[in-house]
Amino acid sequence: MVSLADVLRRHGPDYLHRHGDAVLPSHVRAIRDITQCRTPDLGGQLVRCIECSAEHLAYHSCRNRACPRCGHGATEEWLAQQRQLLLPVRYFHVVFTLPDELRRVVRSHQQALLSALMQAAFESLARLCKDPHYLGAATIGALAVLHTWTRTGEWHPHVHLLVPAGGLAPDGVSWVTPPKRRRKYLVPVKALSVGFRGSFLRLARARLPEETLPDVPDEKRWVVFAKPAVQGADKVLDYLGRYVHRTALSDKAILADDHHGVTFSYRRSQDGQRRTMTLPPDEFLRRFLQHVPPKGFHRVRTFGLLHPAHRETLHRLQLLLAPAPAAEQPPRPPRPPRQCPKCGSSAGVHLVRRLSALECLEWLAKLADAPTPVARAPP
């Protein structure tokens, strides 16, 4: 089985040599971290099986946001935190997409323009929700998650918003909801599209005053998609969680790396059928690395009532909207412990001691018949 780390080890050095200083520091770090993830280079821990007392090595993970092997535990923790902040109301799932004319300039100025994209999406929605004709809410809330790739790894920046169906009234006390006749939409998407266009262009010009933005035809509609979360906000959270701590291409998708190029599978959006694509290594790495976010950039943001600054108001609304105690959902079962590579027991392990990279190599050299190392995230 070919992994992303294998592809980076094989083609990464040539890619860095060919493109030199044009490779962003965040991309260089992603290549380094992923190739070292769960190897002796990052050190590890010597652990002892509770059942058979066999000692084996648990390598550390890199915890890079672009690594396909890391992030599962962080995703589960993030989902648990977000569920604690849900309001007992209906929710809407709203998606804002930039037109293709702007995608190249956004990719060149990700820190400024991706932030503008997320802010413009919420601003345009909040502005319409403040209109008494639609909702009349002085303050709404939204959880925003940025997504930049298509199923084939191409650059396609758009932002998902999980929005409660309602907001805080101008009096700052009561909760207002859309009328029953508009249960299928929160605000009209055509008006939302127009507002989104104006907000993004205004923010982009303010943040990059010396940059000339490409022209977008006036008649071209900026795509905004909105639908009620009929299966519940939990389902939308699970969907968004896939993008929070994951990368554009997973290890499972990569099928081969040979003289033809790097072959991976994807699901075609038109019919849902599985297809394969083969790209030259340089193009494959370019598509993957363009989705590595700049250092310090947050792909998940909260606005309005869901912002930490309004946490007290949010908790008050949770009590106001659900006066009767709601039945608690059973917690998700914890991940089963890894089996011992020697006896197969799942009883767990004891930490013996932490090892540096050199100590890992020395330990492996002394025990030539050591079991297959078990990957483990650092504490």
Side-chain angles (χ1 to χ4, degrees), residues 24-27 29 64-66 106-115 146 148 155 289-299 301:
L24 297 177
S26 57
H27 296 181
R29 180 174 180 178
N64 191 296
R65 291 185 290 174
V106 171
R107 186 174 59 184
S108 301
H109 302 277
Q110 295 184 30
Q111 193 74 258
L113 296 186
L114 289 179
S115 295
L146 178 71
T148 60
W155 179 255
L289 291 172
Q290 69 181 346
H291 304 294
V292 176
K295 183 179 179 181
F297 183 84
H298 297 283
R299 289 188 296 195
R301 304 187 185 187

Side-chain angles (χ1 to χ4, degrees), residues 48-224:
R48 182 181 294 118
C49 175
I50 295 176
E51 192 71 26
C52 69
S53 299
E55 293 184 345
H56 53 89
L57 206 54
Y59 291 142
H60 287 163
S61 300
C62 67
R63 288 195 169 183
N64 191 296
R65 291 185 290 174
C67 180
R69 294 186 176 184
C70 301
H72 177 82
T75 299
E76 292 298 317
E77 181 180 350
W78 180 82
L79 288 172
Q81 292 173 351
Q82 298 307 315
R83 289 191 178 96
Q84 294 296 319
L85 302 177
L86 289 176
L87 289 168
V89 299
R90 294 185 303 118
Y91 273 78
F92 282 85
H93 182 193
V94 191
V95 185
F96 296 80
T97 304
L98 286 177
D100 50 8
E101 289 87 349
L102 294 171
R103 292 173 189 172
R104 180 179 290 274
V105 69
V106 171
R107 186 174 59 184
S108 301
H109 302 277
Q110 295 184 30
Q111 193 74 258
L113 296 186
L114 289 179
S115 295
L117 164 62
M118 302 177 80
Q119 184 176 344
F122 177 74
E123 277 189 4
S124 57
L125 181 63
R127 189 182 306 117
L128 280 183
C129 286
K130 188 175 291 187
D131 190 335
H133 181 69
Y134 300 121
L135 185 61
T139 309
I140 65 168
L143 170 68
V145 178
L146 178 71
H147 188 199
T148 60
W149 59 83
T150 65
R151 301 186 182 191
T152 57
E154 294 175 303
W155 179 255
H156 184 257
H158 55 285
V159 60
H160 296 258
L161 265 61
L162 182 61
V163 185
L168 200 60
D171 60 12
V173 177
S174 55
W175 179 261
V176 293
T177 57
K180 291 184 178 180
R181 67 178 184 276
R182 289 200 285 109
R183 293 184 62 87
K184 292 186 177 181
Y185 71 96
L186 185 60
V187 294
V189 291
K190 288 185 177 180
L192 188 57
S193 173
V194 174
F196 172 50
R197 173 188 177 120
S199 292
F200 177 81
L201 293 178
R202 174 179 53 79
L203 290 170
R205 288 168 181 146
R207 298 184 182 197
L208 297 175
E210 299 179 357
E211 184 74 24
T212 302
L213 298 178
D215 290 329
V216 181
D218 292 337
E219 65 275 9
K220 185 167 187 177
R221 179 171 170 261
W222 290 40
V223 178
V224 177

Side-chain angles (χ1 to χ4, degrees), residues 240-259:
L240 298 181
R242 304 173 194 171
Y243 305 133
V244 175
H245 298 282
R246 63 161 289 185
T247 184
L249 291 164
S250 66
D251 285 341
K252 293 181 180 179
I254 302 175
L255 304 178
D257 178 16
D258 49 31
H259 63 280

Side-chain angles (χ1 to χ4, degrees), residues 263-311:
T263 302
F264 62 95
S265 66
Y266 67 97
R267 191 179 299 277
R268 197 165 65 174
S269 57
Q270 291 87 339
D271 53 14
Q273 297 297 315
R274 277 283 175 186
R275 295 289 188 269
T276 61
M277 178 176 289
T278 301
L279 298 174
D282 196 79
E283 173 61 15
F284 177 86
L285 292 186
R286 186 196 70 81
R287 288 197 185 190
F288 167 72
L289 291 172
Q290 69 181 346
H291 304 294
V292 176
K295 183 179 179 181
F297 183 84
H298 297 283
R299 289 188 296 195
V300 181
R301 304 187 185 187
T302 51
F303 296 96
L305 293 172
L306 300 185
H307 191 274
H310 295 90
R311 198 54 44 85

